């Protein structure tokens, strides 16, 4: 169904008219821009793109794009997207999620999506907080971050999504910062083009519940080394960096999971023969 | 940074700068609309309108030049975003015209810096002349914003006080 | 149809029930399966269920069979013949294998102690040293001796059994076939020595035999799904639904579809929602624990109007319950499980073979109404292997009102006369929309406005309530002032009970619901018109179906609820007795 690349799409062609409900200042606005920018760069027709999400501020993105979208239930977007992509390999499938949606309630699907390696791009806006439900700690929140639900902090070690993605078999791993929409768009273009499951963690400040994250723009820096295809090396680097190292960190070569679909080799009636006495 | 080598390239960049400024201001106006800050909504729409006019002027210059169709990644911006696009991270729903104009000022200054640097490094006299023109235009915008800013004193420190707590929509 | 009442030795019976038990790899289940297939070749109808211990290998097992020249809807009340290859742990089957004084019980004298249930029943017994006899045959096995005994006592032609042996064991080589045949011959000879025949009336060899299938309900559900146009499945294994998936996985590949094994049921239902959103009719299968996990997303499919089929092969609950046994106790969760007002379809197959039709119809209905359909099969229907007539070809196929050409001003959830809105399939230019579980307006944009909420709730209710379902909503048979009102797999025993009453001149109706939700209130009233008494029959502890009916419609004056939890399926004689007792 994909269109000939005769039409040159502009960034604006990927944006819908729906006005976001996000807090002004939220990093997710930038992410929306980066996604539309990346799609325009690739030039895929908006109707051939599906943006799938769960629940959360970050999960509101699908309706703000002019692509096909699915705003499903909390934590299950990766599964929904995998079903779609396996059934419709011709589509470009993006999943937009948050650190709560993706790593807490959806944590199990994250592991298995990496393992399964379906050709799609998983974009997690990590703001280290549950924005939509008024600021509770998420799996990536610092242990001493104080909040009403966890006074004094959770005391729990933060989850390390990039390393977990590597260990679970993701084929492309990158970290970007929302405040760098050009850099993020460049990485997204690469992630979308890379075969298999691509995981892009976007540090995206929540200005309402984590105003401290406004400082991130002074803390992020470009990864000083080239991406590797050696998962162990990538893991060591990611484990030892400061969490603000941006860029493509790993590019793997695993073949994506895509069963043959759509070609019938037998007639439905022939299946009945097995039952006949 | 940029090494634009022909008029077409320069025009493409100049036009894109304005288009993105328009889109950004419209996005900000929408944000203010959604967050019931109508004064700022109007201001951002006005800024979008002005940038739109500027874009239109550039477009008329483009008709007879050989302007390439560039993809987003092919624009040679030095920074993380298009030069004249306001940083979305600096927005607040209770912001005042003073804040908005500060952001607009910064955006115009960035746009000026883009063309200024460019005109200094260009060797082709035609390109230099056009870059001069764009730089001067942005300089005028800077002046206009500064003038506008005179109408608005810097607000008090408590400008963002909101006595209501945030809500949880989902 | 009952055999127990007409049990004069020598007189062929209308149906015969047989149990073959054995433990530790004696092959009781294999013998049962071969007996079933042989009976099918003879032209009989039949059913085989299994009952097993908790061990994964080597446990005690019982093959439970019933045969007749007439179609069979359920297992019998009691067993005419029990062959115990050995008796180890056989007492676990005491409740299931009801024996009477007319039963014949054959045991191996060296197979352990006969359990109490046998002498208590007064059944006639005989001994055959199956193990010892098998030892004398090179490669001989005791289960083949048992099989020979069974065929001999039933009076089935041995040629049909040998044909099955050749088909089943042919790939193991001639030796295996020869050894098995030899053992069967020994069994036949032993049977001939006994005065314990349980002959069955068998269609004459030259009678015209209709095309006969041997199939389980789980396989039939898979076949129905494919006939109905399902081309994508995703699921997580669970007893007793796994065989649907195992059957579908290779079958879907052959017809251009695919099955994905998901990481859990939360994923499997979301995968099928995703695939269906992409335009592929999709299905998942599970059992109670899995359905519980799927419920949130069942609501999502309802709200976002994504057609999917969820086959729930019910087992004993709550919690892990009795995974290997039947119950109808997922009715409540299937109808009412979702939070919010979430009207969707709930259907139930009425027999093993009907798993095919009902699943096919479910796929058709789900797609036609862009709503989820839950098919409530159960362990009995799903895992019983049945000899049936080839199910009729029906025209029901997935047909979704879809937008497949470029459009302008598309509104995904537009309010239409039929309340079904054409669905744009990704790839169609101009059709882009975001499917949403949030309350939305006609365009799909999230909204918390009362007007939008009500309009979309009305739409989703109306599309399934005003749909014309035709005659398939229920099986309605018989007449009279008494009705047995039931659903799903209890239809079998109810149907047989009504037939027995009719044999004794007692008129009764059978009303068996295939479409559970939306309840066809008016049609049900018509079906029960003139009835004075209604006996509601179901396999639940709390009477879920009865309460559902009570909450939804007016029933005739006198209504009785006859319900019981699993694992013992309600038998035809129990329903029969309820009606007789009520009349007097
Ligand atoms: C099953 C379920 N549990 C809880 C919620 C409430 N809920 C909505 S969003 C959210 C957390 C979102 O956090 P995150 O994914 O980090 O997204 P953010 O809002 O920060 O972008 C929660 C707990 C829900 N919608 N569904
Ligand atoms: S609460 Fe935080 S994450 Fe949500 S929109 Fe506001 S700033 Fe963004």
């Amino acid at each position: 169904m994909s269109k000939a690349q005769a039409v040159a799409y502009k960034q604006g062609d990927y944006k819908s008219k729906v006005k976001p409900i996000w807090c002004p200042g939220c990093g997710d606005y930038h992410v929306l821009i980066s996604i539309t920018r990346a799609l325009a760069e690739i030039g895929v027709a908006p109707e051939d793109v599906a943006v799938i999400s769960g629940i959360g501020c970050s999960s509101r993105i699908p309706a703000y794009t002019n692509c096909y979208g699915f705003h499903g239930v909390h934590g299950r977007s990766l599964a929904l997207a995998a079903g779609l992509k396996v059934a419709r390999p011709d589509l470009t499938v993006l999943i937009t999620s948050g650190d709560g949606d993706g790593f807490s309630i959806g944590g199990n699907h994250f592991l298995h999506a990496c393992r399964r390696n379906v050709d799609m791009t998983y974009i997690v806006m990590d703001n280290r907080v549950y924005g939509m439900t008024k600021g509770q700690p998420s799996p990536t929140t610092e242990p001493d971050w104080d909040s009403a639900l966890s006074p004094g902090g959770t005391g729990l070690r933060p989850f390390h999504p990039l390393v977990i993605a590597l260990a679970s078999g993701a084929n492309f791993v990158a970290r970007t910062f929302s405040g760098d929409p050009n850099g993020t768009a460049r990485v997204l273009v690469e992630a979308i083009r890379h075969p298999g499951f691509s995981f892009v963690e976007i540090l995206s400040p929540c200005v309402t519940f984590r105003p401290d994250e406004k400082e991130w723009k002074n803390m992020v820096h470009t990864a000083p080394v080239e991406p590797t295809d050696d998962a162990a090396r990538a893991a060591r680097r990611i484990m030892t960096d400061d969490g603000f190292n941006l860029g493509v960190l790993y590019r793997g070569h695993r073949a994506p999971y895509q069963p043959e679909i759509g070609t019938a080799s037998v007639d439905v009636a022939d299946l009945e023969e097995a039952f006949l006495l | 940074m940029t090494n634009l080598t022909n008029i077409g390239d320069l025009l493409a960049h100049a036009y894109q700068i304005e288009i993105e400024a328009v889109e950004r201001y419209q996005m900000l106006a929408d944000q203010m609309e959604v967050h019931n800050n109508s004064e700022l909504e109007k201001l951002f729409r006005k800024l979008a309108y002005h940038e739109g006019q500027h874009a239109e002027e550039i477009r008329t210059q483009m008709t007879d030049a050989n302007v390439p169709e560039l993809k987003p990644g092919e624009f040679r911006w030095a920074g993380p975003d298009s030069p004249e696009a306001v940083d979305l991270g600096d927005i607040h729903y209770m912001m005042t015209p003073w804040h908005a104009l500060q952001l607009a000022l910064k955006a115009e200054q960035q746009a000026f810096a883009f063309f200024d640097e460019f005109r200094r490094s260009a060797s082709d006299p035609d390109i230099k002349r056009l870059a001069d023109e764009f730089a001067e235009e942005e300089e005028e915008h800077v002046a206009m914003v500064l003038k506008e800013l005179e109408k608005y004193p810097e607000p008090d420190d408590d400008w963002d006080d909101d006595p209501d707590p945030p809500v949880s929509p989902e | 149809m009952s055999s127990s009442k007409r049990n004069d030795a020598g007189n062929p019976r209308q149906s015969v029930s047989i149990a073959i038990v054995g433990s530790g790899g004696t092959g009781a289940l294999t013998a049962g399966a071969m007996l079933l297939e042989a009976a099918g070749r003879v032209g009989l109808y039949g059913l085989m269920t299994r009952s097993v211990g908790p061990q994964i290998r080597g446990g005690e097992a019982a093959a439970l069979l019933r045969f007749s020249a007439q179609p069979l809807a359920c297992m019998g009340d009691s067993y005419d013949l029990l062959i115990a290859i050995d008796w180890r742990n056989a007492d676990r089957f005491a409740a299931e294998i009801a024996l009477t004084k007319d039963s014949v019980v054959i045991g191996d004298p060296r197979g352990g102690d006969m359990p109490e249930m046998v002498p208590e029943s007064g059944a006639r017994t005989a001994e055959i040293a199956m193990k010892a006899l098998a030892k004398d045959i090179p490669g001989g096995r005791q289960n083949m001796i048992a099989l020979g005994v069974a065929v001999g006592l039933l009076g089935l032609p041995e040629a049909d059994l040998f044909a099955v042996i050749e088909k089943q064991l042919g790939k193991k080589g001639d030796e295996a076939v020869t050894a098995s045949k030899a053992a069967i011959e020994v069994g036949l000879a032993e049977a001939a020595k006994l005065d314990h025949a349980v002959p069955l009336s068998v269609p004459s060899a030259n009678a015209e035999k209709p095309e006969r299938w041997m199939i389980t309900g789980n396989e039939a559900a898979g076949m129905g799904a494919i006939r109905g146009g399902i081309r994508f499945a995703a699921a997580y294994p669970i007893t007793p639904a796994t065989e649907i998936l195992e059957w579908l996985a290779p079958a879907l590949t052959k017809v251009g579809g695919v099955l994905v094994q998901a990481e859990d049921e939360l994923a499997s239902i979301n995968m099928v929602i995703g695939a269906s959103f992409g335009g592929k009719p999709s299905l998942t299968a599970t059992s109670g624990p899995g359905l519980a996990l799927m419920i949130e997303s069942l609501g999502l499919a309802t709200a976002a109007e994504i057609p999917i089929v969820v086959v729930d092969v019910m087992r004993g609950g709550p919690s892990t319950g009795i995974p290997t046994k039947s119950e109808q106790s997922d009715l409540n969760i299937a109808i009412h499980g979702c939070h919010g007002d979430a009207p969707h379809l709930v259907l139930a197959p009425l027999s093993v073979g009907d798993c095919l039709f009902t699943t096919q119809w479910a796929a058709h209905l789900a797609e036609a109404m862009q709503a989820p359909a839950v098919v409530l099969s159960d362990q009995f229907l799903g895992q019983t292997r049945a000899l049936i007539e080839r199910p009729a070809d029906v025209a029901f196929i997935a047909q979704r009102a879809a937008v497949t050409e470029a459009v302008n001003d598309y509104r995904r959830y537009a309010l239409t006369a039929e309340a079904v809105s054409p669905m744009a399939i990704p790839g169609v230019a101009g059709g882009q929309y975001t499917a949403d579980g949030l309350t939305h307006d006609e365009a799909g944009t999230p909204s918390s406005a009362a007007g939008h909420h009500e309009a979309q709730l009305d739409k989703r209710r109306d599309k399934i309530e005003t749909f014309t379902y035709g005659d398939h909503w229920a099986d309605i048979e018989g007449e009279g002032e008494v009705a047995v009102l039931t659903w799903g797999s209890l239809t079998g025993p109810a149907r047989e009970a009504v037939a027995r009453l009719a044999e004794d001149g007692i008129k009764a109706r059978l009303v068996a619901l295939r479409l559970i939700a939306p309840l066809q209130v008016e049609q049900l009233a018509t079906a029960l018109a003139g009835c004075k008494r209604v006996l509601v029959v179901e396999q639940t502890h709390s009477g879920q179906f009865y309460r559902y009916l009570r909450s939804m419609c007016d029933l005739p004056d006198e209504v009785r609820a006859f319900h019981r939890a699993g694992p013992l399926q309600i038998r035809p004689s129990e329903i029969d007795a309820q009606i007789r007792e009520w009349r007097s």
Side-chain angles (χ1 to χ4, degrees):
Chain A
M1 243 180 254
S2 77
K3 315 286 168 295
Q5 293 237 336
V7 203
Y9 292 101
K10 298 252 181 308
Q11 198 178 324
D13 295 332
Y14 300 91
K15 247 193 106 255
S16 79
K17 294 194 178 68
V18 181
K19 294 172 184 147
I21 53 146
W22 294 318
C23 308
C26 177
D28 296 352
Y29 281 107
H30 271 135
V31 177
L32 176 60
I33 287 174
S34 304
I35 290 174
T36 55
R37 208 166 268 180
L39 291 172
E41 178 74 27
I42 291 169
V44 55
E47 63 267 24
D48 291 336
V49 181
V51 186
I52 311 300
S53 74
I55 296 292
C57 298
S58 38
S59 289
R60 286 291 195 128
I61 281 194
Y64 304 152
T65 73
N66 184 34
C67 305
Y68 279 89
F70 208 126
H71 183 218
V73 294
H74 198 24
R76 316 291 164 218
S77 56
L78 283 171
L80 200 148
L84 175 61
K85 179 68 183 182
V86 170
R88 288 291 306 278
D90 56 310
L91 298 174
T92 296
V93 177
L94 313 182
I95 305 97
T96 55
S97 181
D99 41 302
D101 189 69
F103 309 140
S104 191
I105 192 167
N108 191 36
H109 306 304
F110 178 46
L111 304 184
H112 293 280
C114 293
R115 256 185 84 218
R116 199 175 276 120
N117 200 30
V118 172
D119 185 14
M120 50 193 200
T121 301
Y122 187 35
I123 301 164
V124 177
M125 282 146 265
D126 190 350
N127 55 14
R128 304 187 183 171
V129 73
Y130 289 1
M132 184 60 92
T133 46
K134 299 189 294 177
Q136 297 82 18
S138 85
T140 53
T141 303
E142 301 80 344
D144 56 353
W145 185 72
D146 187 53
S147 70
L149 199 56
S150 296
T154 60
L156 301 178
R157 185 182 188 282
F159 184 84
H160 208 320
L162 294 164
V163 181
I164 287 168
L166 275 172
S168 313
N171 216 25
F172 179 99
V173 171
R175 187 196 280 130
T176 74
F177 172 54
S178 62
D180 175 10
N182 284 336
T184 300
R186 261 194 308 277
V187 170
L188 288 178
V189 167
E190 236 200 280
I192 294 167
R193 288 195 171 134
H194 195 83
F197 186 75
S198 300
F199 171 48
V200 182
E201 180 195 36
I202 305 184
L203 301 173
S204 179
C206 171
V207 293
T208 296
F209 298 107
R210 297 293 309 257
D212 52 308
E213 292 174 351
K214 285 189 195 166
E215 268 311 296
W216 279 358
K217 68 175 170 212
N218 303 318
M219 295 159 77
V220 294
H221 50 86
T222 312
V225 286
E226 281 295 294
T228 171
D229 62 358
D230 177 344
R233 255 179 78 190
R236 259 195 313 280
R237 273 187 206 159
I238 298 168
M239 280 298 274
T240 52
D241 76 15
D242 60 357
F244 291 95
N245 209 12
L246 307 183
V248 176
L249 305 166
Y250 172 75
R251 280 193 201 102
H253 310 293
R254 234 152 50 85
Y257 171 83
Q258 181 58 59
E260 278 289 326
I261 182 163
T263 39
S265 59
V266 311
D267 201 63
V268 171
D270 294 345
L271 293 175
E272 298 176 359
E273 258 164 47
F275 303 127
L276 195 63
L277 278 178
Chain B
M1 67 163 266
T2 46
N3 55 341
L4 309 178
T5 50
N6 64 58
I7 299 270
D9 237 7
L10 176 58
L11 281 167
H13 279 73
Y15 184 63
Q16 185 68 14
I17 286 176
E18 300 309 318
I19 287 299
E20 295 208 10
V22 172
E23 285 177 359
R24 193 62 53 93
Y25 283 130
Q26 273 166 350
M27 193 175 195
L28 295 177
D30 288 350
Q31 292 186 17
M32 293 304 138
E33 186 189 340
V34 171
H35 291 84
N36 303 304
N37 186 340
S38 56
E39 185 179 18
L40 268 273
E41 181 198 347
K42 277 193 212 103
L43 179 54
F44 282 130
R45 295 234 188 270
K46 199 165 100 188
L47 289 166
Y49 174 78
H50 283 309
E51 300 300 343
Q53 280 193 318
H54 193 187
E56 200 45 40
E57 282 162 26
I58 298 171
R59 211 174 56 83
T60 53
Q61 287 177 276
M62 284 161 72
T63 43
D64 26 48
N66 191 11
V67 182
E69 278 258 14
L70 297 180
K71 291 180 171 180
E74 290 167 338
F75 290 101
R76 275 150 284 168
W77 314 128
D81 208 345
S82 166
E84 206 176 343
V86 170
D87 185 346
L88 289 164
D90 292 336
I91 307 299
H92 190 281
Y93 64 103
M94 292 175 79
M95 73 199 299
T96 67
W98 183 86
H99 295 100
L101 290 169
Q102 292 292 339
L103 294 177
L105 181 63
K106 191 168 146 201
E108 299 294 353
Q109 285 167 338
Q110 280 170 195
F112 169 76
F114 179 86
F115 293 115
D116 185 47
E117 170 151 8
F118 187 70
R119 67 179 170 180
R120 283 169 211 271
S121 58
S123 47
D124 181 307
D126 284 344
I127 298 185
K128 215 176 171 67
R129 195 171 325 116
L130 189 60
D132 258 341
E133 203 183 291
F134 289 144
E136 278 159 24
E137 180 105 10
E138 298 300 345
E139 220 171 0
E140 271 173 39
H141 291 182
V142 171
M144 269 163 56
V145 176
L146 281 170
K147 185 138 184 288
E148 192 71 14
L149 258 173
E150 286 170 11
K151 292 192 214 155
Y152 301 98
E154 187 174 348
D156 294 339
D157 276 353
D158 60 357
W159 63 272
D160 59 352
D161 259 6
D162 180 347
D164 287 342
V167 298
S168 177
E170 270 170 37
Chain C
M1 275 191 215
S2 159
S3 56
S4 49
K5 289 192 292 165
R6 313 164 184 74
N7 210 7
D8 337 316
N11 241 353
R13 294 144 214 251
Q14 292 187 14
S15 91
V16 164
S17 294
I18 302 171
I20 304 176
V21 302
S23 72
T26 47
L29 298 176
T30 305
M34 287 174 167
L35 182 58
L36 183 75
E37 189 168 349
R41 291 182 59 94
V42 176
L44 289 167
Y45 293 91
L47 298 169
M48 173 177 151
T49 67
R50 0 183 292 170
S51 189
V52 291
Q55 310 88 323
I56 289 164
R57 299 304 308 262
E60 54 282 4
L64 308 172
L65 301 110
R66 188 179 183 207
F67 300 112
S68 171
Q70 309 302 320
L72 284 172
C74 63
M75 302 307 285
D77 290 314
S78 60
Y79 283 78
D80 302 291
L81 175 62
L82 164 61
I83 302 178
I85 300 172
D86 68 49
W87 287 115
R88 268 173 283 279
N89 276 330
D91 49 353
R92 95 156 39 246
F93 305 122
E96 263 173 296
I97 306 176
L99 299 172
T100 69
K101 63 174 182 18
D102 297 321
S103 307
V104 171
V105 176
I106 313 279
D108 189 320
R110 287 205 233 135
D113 293 337
M114 189 181 275
E116 280 297 296
M117 68 195 221
V118 179
E120 275 172 10
S121 68
R124 296 187 298 148
T125 62
E127 288 185 337
I128 297 177
M130 289 171 267
K131 191 166 186 180
L133 289 165
K135 272 227 172 90
D136 294 340
I137 304 163
R141 297 182 61 105
Q142 48 198 343
N143 65 333
M144 291 298 117
I145 307 243
L147 184 54
V149 172
V151 166
L153 294 179
L154 283 168
L156 297 182
E158 62 181 84
D160 290 290
L161 180 57
F162 285 167
V164 172
I165 297 292
E166 277 155 26
K167 183 177 144 207
Q168 299 271 334
L169 300 178
K171 39 190 178 306
K172 286 194 180 173
D174 288 347
E175 268 175 46
V177 174
T178 312
S180 291
K181 284 186 178 173
I184 287 167
E185 296 282 12
V186 170
L188 285 166
E190 290 297 319
K193 291 183 203 162
L194 298 176
D195 180 27
H196 292 74
V198 283
L200 177 64
S201 69
V202 172
S204 81
N206 33 17
E208 205 186 307
K209 288 171 196 160
E211 201 180 331
R212 186 83 16 115
W213 279 17
M214 187 170 71
I215 195 167
T216 66
N218 279 343
E219 291 166 346
M223 188 68 228
I226 286 186
R227 273 199 189 174
I230 297 291
R231 289 298 177 270
F232 182 92
Y236 190 72
I238 185 166
T239 304
T242 307
E243 296 90 7
I244 298 184
L245 316 172
E246 289 172 341
W247 188 86
L248 271 176
L252 274 172
T253 315
K254 288 182 195 148
V255 295
V258 68
L259 179 141
V260 178
Q261 182 181 330
E263 56 269 32
D264 55 31
E265 288 85 353
L266 304 163
S268 49
I269 187 163
N270 277 282
M271 284 182 179
V272 302
I273 291 172
S276 179
F277 170 72
K280 292 265 190 274
S282 301
L283 165 145
T284 184
T286 189
S287 189
L291 183 65
L293 287 182
M294 289 181 186
I295 285 293
E296 185 193 17
S297 297
L298 196 71
L300 172 64
T302 305
E305 302 197 49
I306 307 291
I308 54 165
V309 177
V310 178
V311 180
D312 172 20
V313 187
M314 296 181 286
R315 60 194 224 181
S319 191
T320 312
I322 311 182
T324 54
K325 292 291 176 192
S326 225
E327 210 168 70
Q328 294 186 303
S329 48
D330 293 352
L331 184 79
N332 278 348
I333 190 177
I335 301 172
H336 303 296
C338 291
H339 62 278
D341 285 310
H344 57 272
L345 301 155
V346 180
L347 300 94
L350 304 184
S351 69
V352 172
D354 191 50
C355 289
L356 194 158
F357 171 79
T358 297
T359 311
Q360 180 176 354
W361 193 39
H364 167 77
L365 295 177
E367 291 280 326
M369 281 172 265
Q370 299 179 13
V374 180
V375 176
L376 292 177
S377 176
D378 60 26
Q379 184 274 335
F380 173 77
L381 295 175
Q383 295 192 324
T384 295
R385 191 167 286 283
L387 300 168
I388 57 172
E389 253 161 57
R390 178 183 185 278
D393 287 313
V394 287
F396 292 121
I397 182 103
Q399 241 164 3
R400 191 183 300 183
V403 179
T404 50
E405 307 265 328
V407 280
N408 283 320
D409 300 326
Y410 176 65
R411 286 175 315 146
R412 166 66 186 102
Y413 301 106
L415 303 174
T416 64
E418 316 77 51
V420 172
S421 338
M423 181 170 174
I425 306 301
V428 172
Q432 294 99 302
Y433 73 99
T434 292
D436 213 314
L438 278 169
T439 289
H440 42 256
D441 63 11
E442 289 184 64
T445 307
S447 165
S448 53
H452 292 142
H453 193 48
E454 188 174 3
Q456 294 292 321
L457 285 170
D458 283 352
K459 169 189 199 294
R460 299 195 291 260
R461 177 199 59 205
D462 293 348
K463 70 179 180 183
I464 73 164
E465 286 196 353
T466 59
F467 190 86
T468 311
Y469 293 92
D471 292 337
H472 301 291
W473 69 277
D475 276 6
I476 302 161
E477 295 157 17
E479 53 186 50
E481 294 182 345
V482 180
V484 180
L485 177 52
T486 189
W487 70 285
S489 72
L490 267 278
T491 303
R495 178 172 275 142
E496 189 161 322
V498 168
R500 287 184 198 178
L501 290 165
E503 278 176 29
D504 290 345
I506 303 170
K507 284 185 178 174
R509 296 183 211 186
L510 170 72
V511 180
L513 302 196
R514 185 181 282 111
L515 181 65
I516 308 295
L519 189 66
Q520 301 299 288
V521 174
E522 280 170 31
Q523 283 90 330
L524 181 58
T526 309
L528 295 175
C531 275
K532 294 217 168 73
R533 289 173 179 164
V534 175
L535 182 70
V536 178
V537 179
E538 61 182 305
Q539 198 86 50
T540 68
H541 185 253
S542 61
Q544 297 184 16
F545 181 56
Y546 171 72
R547 292 176 189 212
Y548 174 56
L549 294 170
R550 279 296 198 202
S551 73
M552 295 291 292
C553 57
D554 293 329
L555 293 172
D557 298 349
E558 284 189 73
V559 181
R560 275 193 195 176
F562 177 41
H563 53 89
R564 175 172 78 216
L568 293 181
Q569 200 180 35
I570 291 177
R571 292 179 176 143
S573 60
E574 297 177 87
I575 301 170
D576 179 334
Q578 290 277 333
I579 298 279
R580 285 177 206 264
E581 182 232 327
W582 199 1
R583 278 165 44 93
S584 56

